[in-house]
């Protein structure tokens, strides 16, 4: 009964309201459990990255369902990509240690962008000295740059990358419901 683009906008709008409330509660609980600083700027960064993470995963799910003929195939495709995104997110193996011919997939991993943003926004500005066994002490900021590949100056592109992922999945979702029809008579 409705055209595709208003339907897609309505679907995303209702998801956004739910995700915003869910993210607020989740951020309060998680931020206090992790023990990050309680500063307004850091809380807003944390909220933003968690909100965008929940949003792009919601949009990814809607996109996959719109592009596939059934929920079983959508679940298979979704689990395939989620496994690789988690593997190459930099959580288990930091980006500098990922083999050079696989680093491109690090930048294609949604989770990597979120981990980069959360970690850099929370501890990327720290100048306190960090003692490393077997090495000389270095500031936290230098440590995360050297060993994890996170730079505080790259935080703004990370913010925009999250918006880009959400918009990409939204437009593919809208395209999928507009031009692909898997209904059978």
């Amino acid at each position: 009964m409705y055209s595709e683009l208003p339907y897609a906008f309505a679907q995303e709008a209702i998801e956004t309201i739910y995700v915003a409330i869910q993210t607020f509660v989740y951020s309060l609980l998680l931020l206090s459990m992790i023990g990050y600083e309680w500063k307004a700027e850091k809380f807003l960064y944390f909220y933003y990255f968690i909100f965008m993470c929940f949003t792009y995963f919601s949009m990814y799910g809607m996109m996959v369902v719109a592009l596939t003929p059934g929920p079983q195939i959508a679940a298979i495709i979704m689990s395939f990509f989620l496994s690789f995104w988690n593997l190459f997110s930099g959580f288990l193996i930091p980006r500098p240690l990922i083999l050079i011919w696989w680093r491109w997939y690090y930048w294609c991993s949604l989770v990597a962008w979120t981990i980069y943003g959360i970690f850099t926004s929370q501890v990327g500005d720290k100048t306190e000295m960090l003692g490393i066994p077997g090495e000389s002490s270095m500031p936290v900021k230098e440590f995360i740059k050297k060993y994890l590949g996170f730079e505080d100056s790259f935080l703004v592109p990370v913010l925009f990358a999250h918006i880009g992922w959400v918009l990409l999945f939204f437009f593919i979702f809208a395209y999928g419901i507009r031009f692909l029809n898997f209904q059978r008579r």
Side-chain angles (χ1 to χ4, degrees), residues 11-12 15 19 51-68 73-86 105 108-111 162 164-174 176-177:
Q11 184 77 25
E12 177 56 26
E15 286 288 331
V19 167
F51 174 75
M52 293 305 279
C53 179
F54 288 169
T55 303
Y56 66 63
F57 275 123
S58 296
M59 289 306 303
Y60 175 69
M62 291 189 304
M63 176 193 75
V64 170
V65 168
L67 294 177
T68 56
I73 296 173
I76 292 168
I77 291 172
M78 186 173 259
S79 66
F80 175 78
F81 282 103
L82 290 179
S83 298
F84 276 101
W85 286 341
N86 286 330
Y105 204 85
C108 292
S109 172
L110 305 171
V111 181
H162 280 78
W165 285 113
V166 169
L167 290 176
L168 174 72
F169 291 160
F170 172 76
F171 285 118
I172 294 174
F173 166 65
I177 61 174

Side-chain angles (χ1 to χ4, degrees), residues 74-143:
I76 292 168
I77 291 172
M78 186 173 259
S79 66
F80 175 78
F81 282 103
L82 290 179
S83 298
F84 276 101
W85 286 341
N86 286 330
L87 180 64
F88 290 99
S89 68
F91 184 73
L92 295 174
I93 305 169
R95 180 175 44 99
L97 295 180
I98 295 175
L99 298 173
I100 193 75
W101 53 83
W102 282 109
R103 281 197 200 148
W104 64 272
Y105 204 85
Y106 171 87
W107 295 112
C108 292
S109 172
L110 305 171
V111 181
W113 289 96
T114 301
I115 290 173
Y116 195 116
I118 289 174
F119 201 79
T120 305
S121 68
Q122 299 302 312
V123 297
D125 59 346
K126 300 273 185 212
T127 56
E128 291 86 17
M129 297 303 281
L130 181 66
I132 303 167
E135 291 188 30
S136 62
S137 297
M138 65 176 62
V140 174
K141 187 175 189 173
E142 185 180 319
F143 175 81

Side-chain angles (χ1 to χ4, degrees), residues 19-40 42-54 114 118 122:
V19 167
I21 296 166
Q22 175 187 5
T23 303
F24 184 73
V25 172
Y26 184 77
S27 294
L28 286 176
L29 293 172
L30 192 61
L31 198 66
S32 63
M33 285 193 308
I34 292 175
Y36 286 145
E37 291 181 64
W38 283 97
K39 292 184 178 177
K42 292 193 181 238
F43 177 78
L44 291 174
Y45 271 128
F46 190 80
Y47 179 84
Y48 173 81
F49 287 118
I50 298 296
F51 174 75
M52 293 305 279
C53 179
F54 288 169
T114 301
I118 289 174
Q122 299 302 312

